[in-house]
Amino acid sequence: MNPDTPAGGKPARPARRAVLRTAFTVAVIAGTGGVLAPVVLRGAGTGDGTQERDAVGPERFSELYKGRDIRGTVTAVVPAGAQPHAAAPGTVLAAPEADVRIDGRPLHVMRRADGSYLSAVNHYESYPTPLEAARAAVDEIGTSQLSAAPPHAI
């Protein structure tokens, strides 16, 4: 008689609770691996389309887009979804400031918590960079001009 066989002659089956526990454990491990794989596999400078920018100097851009002159200066640009480089302990990182102008008139641009940008013209959509937010504003305003007054004048 086989030691795994009970007295009734039928082979012993694992308890339903053990099978369910094993299936749940496998599902949790697979789900965790699937969620963490992009984070673990993405290394610095993997060429995934995001460019690392110089954190020391400001980024400047100037282009003619659909006949409109777009110029801007942004300090410490971080592409949307990317995390800024870890600073030394005790270092306070200033929030990026953007000065964007369309035909010499200021476009109010704000940085969102996820690193994307939105403008006063397109405040329901966010864009990865201030330049893309300015291009979208040009698309939206067409031939109109931005107001010459600052957005929060008293």
Side-chain angles (χ1 to χ4, degrees), residues 1 4-5 7 10 21-22 26-27 42 45 54 57 67 70-71 87 93-94 98 110 125 130:
M1 188 173 208
D4 292 335
T5 307
K10 293 182 181 178
R21 186 180 310 146
T22 302
V26 168
R42 179 178 24 144
D54 185 8
I70 300 175
R71 294 178 188 259
L93 297 176
M110 298 177 290
E125 295 181 55

Side-chain angles (χ1 to χ4, degrees), residues 130-142:
L131 177 58
E132 290 183 35
R135 288 177 184 156
V138 168
D139 291 339
E140 187 69 27
I141 63 175

Side-chain angles (χ1 to χ4, degrees), residues 12-22:
R13 295 185 314 172
R16 184 172 66 175
R17 182 177 288 162
V19 171
L20 291 174
R21 186 180 310 146
T22 302

